[in-house]
Every structure is written in C-alpha cells, then in structure tokens.
Amino acid sequence: MEFKKKSTIYQQIVDFVAEQILTGVFPVESKIASVREMAAKMGVNPNTIMRSYTQMQEEGIIYNKRGVGFFVSTDAPIFIKRKLRDDFIKDELPEMIKKMKLLEIDFDEFEKMYER
Amino acid sequence: MEFKKKSTIYQQIVDFVAEQILTGVFPVESKIASVREMAAKMGVNPNTIMRSYTQMQEEGIIYNKRGVGFFVSTDAPIFIKRKLRDDFIKDELPEMIKKMKLLEIDFDEFEKMYER
Amino acid sequence: MEFKKKSTIYQQIVDFVAEQILTGVFPVESKIASVREMAAKMGVNPNTIMRSYTQMQEEGIIYNKRGVGFFVSTDAPIFIKRKLRDDFIKDELPEMIKKMKLLEIDFDEFEKMYER
Amino acid sequence: MEFKKKSTIYQQIVDFVAEQILTGVFPVESKIASVREMAAKMGVNPNTIMRSYTQMQEEGIIYNKRGVGFFVSTDAPIFIKRKLRDDFIKDELPEMIKKMKLLEIDFDEFEKMYER
DNA sequence: GTGGTCTAGACCACC
DNA sequence: GTGGTCTAGACCACA
C-alpha cells in the first residue's frame, strides 16, 4: 500500500480499515487480520498496526478476544459514520463555506442543488 | 515550473496565469510574457504556450496587439472569478452534496454554519 | 485536395466538411473520417485535421465518442446555416452596401428585385 | 501585371484603366499611354490593347485624336459609374439576393443596415 | 484502433 | 521582434 505524506501512516491505516468495514469487505463481527499479518501486508512495522488497532478499539470500532484476535464491532458502521460526519463538519465544511463566500455563491443556489 | 499529471500542461498554465492576474502579479492592461519567453520560463514548447494563450483569449481574459504581444483584459478578473465559480458549482458542489447526504448531514446544520 | 492561400488550411477544411454536411454527403449522426484518415485523404498533417475537428466540436457541429470517432451532430445543419448567415451579415453585406452607395443604387431599386 | 483566368485579358485591361480613371490616376482630358507603350507595360500583344481601347472608345470613356493618341473623355467617370452600376445590378445583385433568401436573411434586417 | 497532448523546428505576415 | 500556422513524429489513455 502507498501512503501519503500529509497524514501519519497509522492514521491512514485506520481510515483504510474503516472504509473496508463500511463497504462490507470486513463484515460486522468478522475477524480482521492479525497485527503481524496486517503489518506484512501493509509493509509496515507491527507496532504501527498495533497503534491503529488500539485507537480503533478505543473508538469502539473493533474489539479484542484474548488469544484470538480483533473483531469488527456490531456498531462499527455507526461509529465510523459518526466520526466521518464529525470530521467533515469540523474540517471540510468550514473550508468549503469559506470558498463559497469568496466566489459569492448564493445560499439559495446551494439550497436548490441540495433539494434536487 | 513543475507540472502535475492530473491535468494537461497547457491547462495548468492557464490556471497559473489566471491566478497571477487575480492576485495582481499580472496587473490589468499590462503585457504578459511573449509566447517564446513564457515557453523558456516554463520549460515547455512554444506551441503549448500558444494553446494556453489562445484559450485565454477566447475566454476574454487576455487580448492581442498585432506584433506587440498579449495583454491582460480590463475585465479579466471578472471573467476568471466567474469561471472559477461555474467550475465549483459544476464539479465540487455536487460531490460535496453527495457526501453530505451519505453522512446524513442535515441541511439546517449547514445553514447555521453558513450564516455564521 | 488543393488549398487556397487566402485562408488557413484548417479553416478551409472546416468549410469543406460543413459543406459536405449541408449537402447531405455526410449525413446527420454518421461517423466522419478519423483524424488520421482525413489527414491522409487531404494530404495534410493530422494536427491540422485535429484543429479543424476541435473547432467544429466547439461550434456544436460534430461530437466525439471516446475511442470511436467524430460524428455529425443532429443540429449540425442548423448551426452551419446560422454561422454562414452571421458571417454574411458581418462581412459581405456591409461591403455590398458600401458598393451600392458608391454606385448610387437606390434602396427602392433593391427592394423591387428582392420582392420578385 | 497578373491576369486572372476567369475573364479575358482585354476585358481586365478595360477594367484596370477604368479604375485608374475613377481614382484620378488618369485625369479627365489627359492623354493615356499609347497602344505600344501600354502593351510593353502590360506585357501583352499591342492588338490586345487596341481591342481594349476600341471598346472603351465605343463606350465613350476615351476618345482619339488622329496621330496624337487616346484621351480620357470629360464624361468618362459618369460612363464608368453607369456601367459598373448596370453590371452590378445585372450580375452581383441577383446572386446576392439569391444568397440572402437561401440564408433566410430578412429584408428588414437589410434595410436597417442600409440606413445606418 | 480512436482522440488528445506535447515536442522540435520551420516559415509566414505584420509592425 | 510579435503572433499564427503547419509539419513530422512521438507518447498516452481509453475502449
């Protein structure tokens, strides 16, 4: 896998796994790759994978069975969506609104397109 | 100058010159670099520059004085802003609206942020 | 094909193709010769044909199917007629009127011939 | 002088001399080049020039003084204008009207431009 | 195969 | 000097 420099690698792995879950590639309640497997697959250090999994566990997206592995939480899609939603509102939306005002795009114009 | 692969070179030059005009680096009614000069400066073939200049001329951003060179139109900033605006509405806005609906972001929520 | 020096080659090709369309030699919605074919047929460089085709595409006379070729637009005859009409009014008509005034040809005289 | 193939040479010489008279290069009542002089200047046979001069004489544009040469008639400009006028009405005008009807150019549209 | 882009270099008309 | 046109050939993405 290729990583971009604008974000940390462990964060990009979190985003990648979250996307796999949302699209159903990693189904709810299924086991995901072990830390060592994922590290080999991604070509990164196992410690980096561990950091990603730990964060996802704290966010309630995955959970751990001792001696077995990590599993996708039942509510994982909900948590992921909520997180994406919050990030979007915090980062992308303000930037876009700023751009709209700069280009003098009317609010009504936006409303028209939204309703369609 | 470095060019990205995601767009054609002649289009990136158009965007570059347009930005220089908007920021005032190339003032209205001033002469811009000749085709050959700009080609040398950018490290591309004069034909490529000619293509950029011809397109900008058709868009009313620059105009030509026979045997003298290309000049920035008085209304260039207006034309450029209008073009950026149209592109935003055509490309970025629909993508963003699609994302908002996917993430179930309410329209009122957007309105609140916009008014602020 | 022979080209006259009074106009550019690519423009003469545009005029030629437009005439073929008007007379029905190139029917509406039919595929026209590919860039390379037309270049060989006309004895000019493919780039020159490309320039002609691009201009006609911008004028709405032909359109492009990716990887297939260029096709005559349904409204091509309308666009071509409108263009011929505009060119006539812009170029030939003023010249003729100038000549009529020089030769002191009465307006009524013209009207008589027109009504017939 | 270069001659076009669409008309006879002697006729083109008539047109040329007529134009010189109208523009004042050959003033009224002045002597024009002798047949031999004009033949040498034009690079054609003297017989051809003679044919041109004879026709112009019949049209009243020039007249002959025995042993002296050809002179521009006092009324030459009037005759020339009248002839150009008749030719225009007979040849060019009908062709133009035909073209206008083909391109569906309204009569009122013409009137507007004429009045201006 | 198709169009589309780009380079390298040439010649021209105009000022 | 300026833009404008044209040639010859190359490489690319797409279908």
Side-chain angles (χ1 to χ4, degrees):
Chain A
M1 184 168 175
E2 313 151 6
F3 297 100
K4 298 171 184 175
K5 55 192 170 183
K6 64 175 178 179
S7 174
T8 60
I9 293 180
Y10 89 89
Q11 187 56 53
Q12 291 182 57
I13 291 173
V14 167
D15 294 341
F16 169 74
V17 175
E19 188 188 334
Q20 303 294 309
I21 293 174
L22 262 194
T23 57
V25 177
F26 295 170
V28 160
E29 292 302 333
S30 71
K31 181 178 180 299
I32 63 176
S34 74
V35 171
R36 285 176 187 80
E37 278 173 5
M38 186 66 82
K41 187 179 168 189
M42 293 295 197
V44 300
N45 191 290
N47 284 332
T48 305
I49 300 297
M50 193 57 211
R51 193 167 178 186
S52 303
Y53 281 14
T54 300
Q55 180 181 323
M56 293 173 75
Q57 192 172 19
E58 289 171 352
E59 290 171 347
I61 295 172
I62 59 179
Y63 63 91
N64 176 266
K65 286 187 189 174
R66 294 250 182 133
V68 183
F70 283 91
F71 292 78
V72 178
S73 306
T74 302
D75 296 334
I78 295 177
F79 287 140
I80 293 170
K81 266 191 189 171
R82 186 179 305 165
K83 193 185 171 218
L84 285 176
R85 190 179 179 282
D86 291 347
D87 287 351
F88 180 81
I89 291 179
K90 184 161 64 70
D91 299 330
E92 294 184 56
L93 206 65
E95 193 175 348
M96 199 200 61
I97 288 178
K98 180 183 166 192
K99 197 171 182 180
M100 283 178 63
K101 292 188 174 174
L102 198 73
L103 296 178
E104 297 169 10
I105 295 178
D106 205 35
F107 180 74
D108 295 337
E109 201 155 7
F110 175 81
E111 191 174 7
K112 268 195 307 186
M113 296 202 64
Y114 188 90
E115 303 299 341
R116 191 146 48 84
Chain B
M1 183 170 178
E2 314 151 7
F3 296 102
K4 300 171 183 176
K5 55 192 172 187
K6 63 174 179 179
S7 175
T8 62
I9 292 179
Y10 83 88
Q11 189 56 56
Q12 291 182 56
I13 291 173
V14 167
D15 294 342
F16 169 75
V17 175
E19 189 188 334
Q20 304 293 309
I21 293 175
L22 265 194
T23 57
V25 178
F26 295 169
V28 159
E29 292 301 332
S30 70
K31 180 178 180 300
I32 63 177
S34 75
V35 172
R36 287 169 181 83
E37 278 174 5
M38 187 66 85
K41 187 179 167 188
M42 293 293 197
V44 300
N45 189 284
N47 281 330
T48 304
I49 300 295
M50 191 61 207
R51 195 166 183 173
S52 303
Y53 280 15
T54 300
Q55 182 180 321
M56 293 175 77
Q57 191 174 22
E58 289 169 349
E59 290 171 345
I61 296 173
I62 60 179
Y63 65 92
N64 176 262
K65 282 188 193 173
R66 289 256 188 112
V68 183
F70 283 94
F71 295 77
V72 179
S73 305
T74 302
D75 296 333
I78 296 177
F79 288 137
I80 294 171
K81 267 190 188 171
R82 186 181 305 164
K83 196 190 168 202
L84 287 176
R85 191 179 178 279
D86 291 346
D87 287 350
F88 180 81
I89 290 179
K90 184 161 63 70
D91 300 328
E92 295 185 53
L93 206 67
E95 194 175 348
M96 197 199 65
I97 288 177
K98 182 182 164 192
K99 198 170 181 180
M100 282 177 65
K101 291 188 175 173
L102 199 76
L103 298 178
E104 297 170 7
I105 295 179
D106 204 35
F107 179 73
D108 295 337
E109 201 155 6
F110 174 81
E111 191 173 7
K112 265 195 308 184
M113 295 201 64
Y114 188 90
E115 302 300 341
R116 192 147 43 87
Chain C
M1 185 167 176
E2 313 151 8
F3 297 101
K4 299 172 184 174
K5 54 193 171 184
K6 63 174 178 179
S7 173
T8 61
I9 293 180
Y10 83 88
Q11 189 56 55
Q12 291 182 56
I13 291 173
V14 167
D15 294 341
F16 169 75
V17 175
E19 189 189 334
Q20 303 293 309
I21 293 174
L22 265 194
T23 57
V25 178
F26 295 170
V28 159
E29 292 301 331
S30 69
K31 180 180 180 299
I32 64 177
S34 76
V35 172
R36 288 170 183 81
E37 278 174 7
M38 187 66 84
K41 187 180 167 189
M42 293 293 197
V44 299
N45 189 283
N47 280 331
T48 304
I49 300 295
M50 191 62 207
R51 194 164 182 175
S52 303
Y53 281 15
T54 299
Q55 183 181 320
M56 294 174 76
Q57 191 175 23
E58 289 170 350
E59 290 171 345
I61 295 173
I62 59 179
Y63 65 93
N64 175 262
K65 282 188 192 173
R66 289 258 188 110
V68 183
F70 282 94
F71 294 76
V72 178
S73 306
T74 303
D75 296 334
I78 296 176
F79 287 139
I80 294 171
K81 268 190 189 168
R82 186 181 305 165
K83 197 191 168 200
L84 286 175
R85 190 179 178 281
D86 292 346
D87 287 350
F88 180 81
I89 290 178
K90 184 161 63 71
D91 300 328
E92 295 183 56
L93 206 66
E95 195 175 348
M96 198 199 63
I97 288 177
K98 181 182 165 191
K99 198 170 180 180
M100 282 178 63
K101 292 188 174 175
L102 199 74
L103 298 177
E104 297 170 7
I105 295 178
D106 204 34
F107 179 73
D108 295 336
E109 201 155 5
F110 175 80
E111 192 174 6
K112 268 195 307 185
M113 296 200 64
Y114 187 90
E115 302 299 342
R116 192 145 46 85
Chain D
M1 181 169 177
E2 312 153 6
F3 296 101
K4 299 172 183 176
K5 56 193 172 186
K6 64 175 179 179
S7 175
T8 62
I9 292 181
Y10 89 89
Q11 187 57 55
Q12 292 183 55
I13 291 173
V14 168
D15 294 342
F16 170 75
V17 176
E19 187 187 337
Q20 303 295 310
I21 293 175
L22 261 193
T23 57
V25 178
F26 297 169
V28 160
E29 292 300 336
S30 70
K31 179 177 181 300
I32 63 177
S34 73
V35 171
R36 286 174 187 80
E37 278 174 4
M38 186 67 83
K41 187 178 169 190
M42 293 294 196
V44 301
N45 191 288
N47 284 333
T48 305
I49 300 296
M50 195 56 212
R51 193 169 178 184
S52 303
Y53 281 15
T54 302
Q55 181 180 322
M56 293 173 76
Q57 193 172 18
E58 290 170 350
E59 290 171 345
I61 295 172
I62 60 179
Y63 62 90
N64 178 266
K65 286 188 190 173
R66 294 245 181 140
V68 184
F70 284 90
F71 294 78
V72 179
S73 307
T74 303
D75 296 335
I78 296 177
F79 288 139
I80 295 170
K81 265 191 189 170
R82 187 179 304 165
K83 192 183 172 225
L84 286 176
R85 191 180 178 279
D86 292 347
D87 288 350
F88 180 80
I89 291 179
K90 184 161 62 70
D91 300 328
E92 294 185 56
L93 205 66
E95 194 175 349
M96 199 198 63
I97 288 177
K98 182 183 164 192
K99 198 170 181 180
M100 283 178 64
K101 292 189 174 172
L102 198 76
L103 296 178
E104 298 169 7
I105 296 179
D106 206 36
F107 180 74
D108 295 337
E109 200 155 6
F110 175 81
E111 191 175 5
K112 266 195 308 185
M113 294 202 66
Y114 189 89
E115 303 299 342
R116 191 147 45 86

